């Protein structure tokens, strides 16, 4: 079964109808998605469920990058894992001596060169608290190197369905809002200017912010998560010390 056929099967026959019937997601701005040609779908990232609900509102297949390990496993488990990730449109990160970020860009450029839609989360990782964090500039380099427009997307409510650290939460009706395409051709040839890359990234994240209504934090999500984890450990340690030593009762 080809990738697109399997993708269509899951979306329209197997998994998609179940998700629609149970969660009844709503979609806005779907006319902003180009009917053909390459485009970058840039979304906020609240939950692992984002990649399930966001594509349901699109007629076209959207592809994401995934760890290369998902495509190289052995045995029955490895075969099924590879079949699923390949069949759902994911492409392995092309390391080839590059860093993970560089490998992801290489894979993304290959997808866009084929005139397809590529999905990316500018924050680089899931938000641990529902806030929107500073974007990584890889998306700016990607749009400048390929000329592909960027479609900002806001996914709302998935962090309630599948909260960070949990597989399941509450049953709510998620919303997905697609914004108008962003064209950065005015910066053509300036992909090596870090100030331009930052400006483009901030503009994309700002458009996502307007669609999602999230609180914005000018910090990378990974750094914020480390700080939050550190505060939790500190409070836990402080609580233990206040309890004081225990005494044995004879």
């Amino acid at each position: 079964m080809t990738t697109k056929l399997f993708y269509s099967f899951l979306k329209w026959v197997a998994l998609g109808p179940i998700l629609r019937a149970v969660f009844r997601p709503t979609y806005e701005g779907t006319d902003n998605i180009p009917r053909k040609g390459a485009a970058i779908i840039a979304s906020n990232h609240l939950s692992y469920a984002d990649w399930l609900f966001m594509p349901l509102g699109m007629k076209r297949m959207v592809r994401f990058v995934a760890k290369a390990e998902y495509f190289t496993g052995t045995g029955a488990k490895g075969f099924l894992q590879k079949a699923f990730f390949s069949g759902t449109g994911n492409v392995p990160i092309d390391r080839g001596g590059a860093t993970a970020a560089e490998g992801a860009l290489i894979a993304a450029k290959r997808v866009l060169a084929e005139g397809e839609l590529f999905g990316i989360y500018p924050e680089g990782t899931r938000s641990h608290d529902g806030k929107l964090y500073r974007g990584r500039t890889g998306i700016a380099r990607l749009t400048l190197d390929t000329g592909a427009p960027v479609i900002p997307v806001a996914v709302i409510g998935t962090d309630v369905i599948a909260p960070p650290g949990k597989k399941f939460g509450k049953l709510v009706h998620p919303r997905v809002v697609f914004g108008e395409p962003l064209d950065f051709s005015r910066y053509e040839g300036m992909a090596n200017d870090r100030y331009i890359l930052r400006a483009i990234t901030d503009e994309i994240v700002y458009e996502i912010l307007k669609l999602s209504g999230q609180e914005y934090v000018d910090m990378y999500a990974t750094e914020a998560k480390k700080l939050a984890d550190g505060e939790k450990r500190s409070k836990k340690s402080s609580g233990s010390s206040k309890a004081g030593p225990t005494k044995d009762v004879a």
Side-chain angles (χ1 to χ4, degrees), residues 67-88:
K67 294 179 181 179
E69 290 81 358
Y70 293 149
F71 300 83
T72 57
T74 58
K77 180 180 178 182
F79 174 79
L80 292 174
Q81 195 173 57
K82 179 180 179 180
F84 177 79
F85 279 93
S86 298
T88 50

Side-chain angles (χ1 to χ4, degrees), residues 199-217:
I200 291 173
T201 304
D202 289 345
E203 182 176 339
I204 294 170
V205 172
Y206 178 67
E207 291 300 321
I208 295 174
L209 179 67
K210 290 196 299 183
L211 297 173
S212 70
Q214 293 169 268
E215 178 182 344
Y216 176 72
V217 180

Side-chain angles (χ1 to χ4, degrees), residues 23-50:
F23 295 98
R24 290 182 291 165
T26 58
Y27 297 90
E28 302 170 30
T30 54
D31 289 343
N32 290 319
I33 304 168
R35 295 184 178 179
K36 61 181 181 178
I40 301 168
I41 309 298
S43 174
N44 59 335
H45 199 10
L46 297 174
S47 164
Y48 72 81
D50 295 339

Side-chain angles (χ1 to χ4, degrees), residues 40-247:
I40 301 168
I41 309 298
S43 174
N44 59 335
H45 199 10
L46 297 174
S47 164
Y48 72 81
D50 295 339
W51 76 277
L52 291 174
F53 288 102
M54 187 260 281
L56 279 182
M58 308 167 63
K59 294 181 179 179
R60 298 177 60 186
M61 180 173 70
V62 57
R63 311 191 72 172
F64 295 86
V65 293
K67 294 179 181 179
E69 290 81 358
Y70 293 149
F71 300 83
T72 57
T74 58
K77 180 180 178 182
F79 174 79
L80 292 174
Q81 195 173 57
K82 179 180 179 180
F84 177 79
F85 279 93
S86 298
T88 50
N90 292 281
V91 292
I93 294 177
D94 188 354
R95 297 299 290 267
T99 64
E102 291 171 340
L105 286 177
I106 293 171
K109 289 177 183 178
R110 187 166 61 247
V111 170
L112 294 170
E114 295 172 354
E116 298 188 56
L117 300 178
F118 179 76
I120 188 172
Y121 301 111
E123 294 168 276
T125 188
R126 282 178 289 174
S127 171
H128 68 285
D129 57 6
K131 298 177 182 178
L132 185 68
Y133 287 89
R134 181 189 300 165
R136 300 283 181 174
T137 58
I139 188 172
R141 186 178 300 279
L142 185 60
T143 184
L144 291 183
D145 286 349
T146 63
V150 178
I151 313 296
V153 183
V155 180
I156 304 165
T158 52
D159 55 332
V160 179
I161 295 172
K166 298 181 181 179
K167 291 185 177 180
F168 302 104
K170 299 179 180 179
L171 197 159
V172 299
H173 308 309
R175 290 174 55 220
V176 181
V177 186
F178 296 92
E180 296 183 2
L182 303 176
D183 177 18
F184 297 101
S185 59
R186 61 189 183 278
Y187 297 118
E188 184 178 359
M190 305 177 74
N192 292 322
D193 188 321
R194 63 190 181 95
Y195 296 105
I196 294 296
L197 295 179
R198 171 47 55 194
I200 291 173
T201 304
D202 289 345
E203 182 176 339
I204 294 170
V205 172
Y206 178 67
E207 291 300 321
I208 295 174
L209 179 67
K210 290 196 299 183
L211 297 173
S212 70
Q214 293 169 268
E215 178 182 344
Y216 176 72
V217 180
D218 193 19
M219 177 186 296
Y220 290 121
T222 50
E223 296 176 359
K225 180 65 164 56
K226 288 180 181 178
L227 286 176
D229 289 343
E231 290 178 359
K232 287 181 181 178
R233 287 193 296 269
S234 179
K235 289 181 179 179
K236 185 176 181 180
S237 176
S238 177
S240 298
S241 63
K242 286 181 180 179
T246 59
K247 296 182 179 180

